[in-house]
Amino acid sequence: MLAPTTMAVAESFDPTGINLTARAIDKVRELVSEEENADLKLRVYITGGGCSGFQYGFTFEEDAADDDTAIQKGGVTVVVDPMSYQYLVGSEVDYTEGLEGSRFIVNNPNATTTCGCGASFSI
């Protein structure tokens, strides 16, 4: 486990950081509770690919790297690696349930184009 001083931590809306909606916080809290592992953190990351160039990814992990940024809000932690963070600055992580299914989504003001499903983007 990393000492709190090794990661940057954000507690409120920050246009220079990454923000979480109440729905995202509730869903992360619910999923962590279901797994019965309070050490789980939601990792948000960017990979190459998708129909618009980059795509968003989400996974749960127990550990964070020393150079990850951790966003703590509402009792949950989201971690982001440095490469992904630069593309996600000012973004909002949300959770939605609809015809496309249920999923975490990113509302990214840095994206110049997105695909129809919202899972990929370009800058």
Side-chain angles (χ1 to χ4, degrees), residues 13-87:
F13 186 84
D14 180 1
T16 63
I18 300 169
N19 301 286
L20 308 171
T21 66
R23 284 187 303 251
I25 291 168
D26 289 345
K27 190 60 179 182
V28 171
R29 192 179 302 126
E30 176 187 325
L31 293 170
V32 168
S33 176
E34 285 176 8
E35 292 297 318
E36 299 178 354
N37 183 349
D39 292 332
L40 287 177
K41 302 160 190 57
L42 177 66
R43 177 170 295 280
V44 180
Y45 59 93
I46 303 295
T47 60
C51 42
S52 293
F54 295 105
Q55 59 188 15
Y56 302 108
F58 304 91
T59 188
F60 281 92
E61 297 180 357
E62 288 184 9
D63 299 318
D66 288 340
D67 60 351
D68 282 341
T69 296
I71 298 95
Q72 296 176 339
K73 188 171 181 187
V76 303
T77 303
V78 173
V79 292
V80 183
D81 65 89
M83 192 284 298
S84 298
Y85 190 85
Q86 65 184 331
Y87 296 110

